[in-house]
């Protein structure tokens, strides 16, 4: 299984049996004080590198955090990474993936579905061999602190961590 790494890391992690490979992702962040849509955000040139393991903006109803990821699969195999946002109390988390026309994928406390089996907001995606992909993540809270970290992992790691979390609740 892969080692968990923060999105801010720029290296790839390979497990000991070399069966799963993590993509190389770079990340940037933009904190918006106004409600901007994805089209406006994609035009913004003021994203800054995101190298923190955790971000905490405290209690704020007006700020929205936008994270821009550029991921690449440097291998010759399709990989299926999962992005985890490590705060289950986030109300609005929206993923926009370039490979499906930036269609919104809503997660968070206010977007729980009956089939959801995980505590944290996750986003599953595929990267074909040598494929580049851009993913935007919009994160907003109005009633609890706007704080989170972003991690990438494989399905087995997600299931192990979720099992531990749910057993401890």
């Amino acid at each position: 299984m892969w080692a968990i790494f923060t999105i801010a890391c720029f290296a790839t992690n390979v497990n000991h049996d070399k069966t799963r490979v993590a993509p190389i992702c770079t990340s940037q962040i933009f904190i918006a004080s106004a409600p901007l849509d994805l089209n406006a955000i994609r035009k913004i040139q003021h994203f800054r590198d995101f190298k923190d393991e955790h971000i905490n903006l405290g209690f704020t109803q007006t700020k929205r955090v936008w994270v821009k990821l550029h991921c690449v699969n440097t291998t010759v195999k399709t990989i299926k990474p999962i992005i985890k946002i490590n705060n289950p109390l986030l109300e609005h988390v929206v993923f926009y993936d370039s490979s499906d026309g930036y269609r919104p994928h809503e997660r968070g406390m206010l977007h729980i579905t009956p089939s959801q089996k995980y505590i944290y907001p996750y986003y599953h995606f595929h990267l074909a061999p040598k494929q580049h992909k851009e993913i935007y993540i919009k994160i907003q809270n109005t009633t609890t602190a706007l704080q989170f970290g972003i991690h990438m992992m494989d399905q087995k790691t997600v299931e192990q961590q979720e099992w531990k979390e749910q057993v401890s609740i």
Side-chain angles (χ1 to χ4, degrees), residues 82 118 122 153-162:
I82 300 169
Y118 301 128
Y122 287 96
M153 56 191 69
D154 69 345
Q155 183 68 38
K156 186 174 183 178
T157 304
V158 167
E159 290 171 0
Q160 289 172 343
Q161 285 190 358
E162 280 291 326

Side-chain angles (χ1 to χ4, degrees), residues 4-26:
I4 299 170
F5 71 100
T6 61
I7 291 295
C9 293
F10 297 93
T12 184
N13 295 307
V14 183
N15 68 333
H16 297 292
D17 65 5
K18 300 194 187 318
T19 57
R20 295 185 182 99
V21 178
I24 296 172
C25 291
T26 59

Side-chain angles (χ1 to χ4, degrees), residues 18-19 22 30 37-38 49 65 101 116 118 128 168-169:
K18 300 194 187 318
T19 57
F30 177 76
D37 66 9
L38 180 65
D49 288 344
V65 176
Q116 184 173 325
Y118 301 128
S168 67
I169 292 180

Side-chain angles (χ1 to χ4, degrees):
M1 92 183 119
W2 313 336
I4 299 170
F5 71 100
T6 61
I7 291 295
C9 293
F10 297 93
T12 184
N13 295 307
V14 183
N15 68 333
H16 297 292
D17 65 5
K18 300 194 187 318
T19 57
R20 295 185 182 99
V21 178
I24 296 172
C25 291
T26 59
S27 59
Q28 295 180 305
I29 190 169
F30 177 76
I31 300 171
S33 296
L36 302 173
D37 66 9
L38 180 65
N39 290 328
I41 287 295
R42 289 183 63 208
K43 295 175 186 171
I44 288 177
Q45 301 297 316
H46 295 39
F47 276 82
R48 64 175 172 83
D49 288 344
F50 181 46
K51 297 186 185 210
D52 300 325
E53 203 165 311
H54 192 83
I55 187 168
N56 186 349
L57 298 178
F59 292 92
T60 177
Q61 294 183 340
T62 58
K63 293 192 173 139
R64 291 139 183 93
V65 176
W66 286 87
V67 177
K68 178 169 60 171
L69 304 175
H70 182 264
C71 297
V72 62
N73 178 359
T74 59
T75 73
V76 294
K77 292 184 177 183
T78 296
I79 55 176
K80 300 175 182 178
I82 300 169
I83 299 170
K84 174 186 178 182
I85 311 295
N86 74 344
N87 181 348
L89 300 178
L90 292 172
E91 297 162 358
H92 302 282
V93 178
V94 185
F95 295 90
Y96 301 90
D97 189 326
S98 62
S99 65
D100 70 357
Y102 295 105
R103 183 174 57 90
H105 301 271
E106 297 181 323
R107 307 287 192 272
M109 279 185 14
L110 299 181
H111 304 284
I112 293 174
T113 64
S115 62
Q116 184 173 325
K117 58 183 181 178
Y118 301 128
I119 296 171
Y120 293 94
Y122 287 96
Y123 181 65
H124 301 244
F125 67 99
H126 294 79
L127 276 170
K130 309 300 181 192
Q131 180 183 7
H132 292 254
K133 180 178 286 214
E134 188 174 68
I135 297 173
Y136 285 86
I137 308 168
K138 180 175 102 175
I139 303 169
Q140 179 183 6
N141 256 12
T142 57
T143 60
T144 63
L146 184 53
Q147 62 178 340
F148 61 91
I150 301 175
H151 303 276
M152 193 167 301
M153 56 191 69
D154 69 345
Q155 183 68 38
K156 186 174 183 178
T157 304
V158 167
E159 290 171 0
Q160 289 172 343
Q161 285 190 358
E162 280 291 326
W163 183 83
K164 288 177 187 174
E165 290 283 338
Q166 291 181 25
V167 165
S168 67
I169 292 180

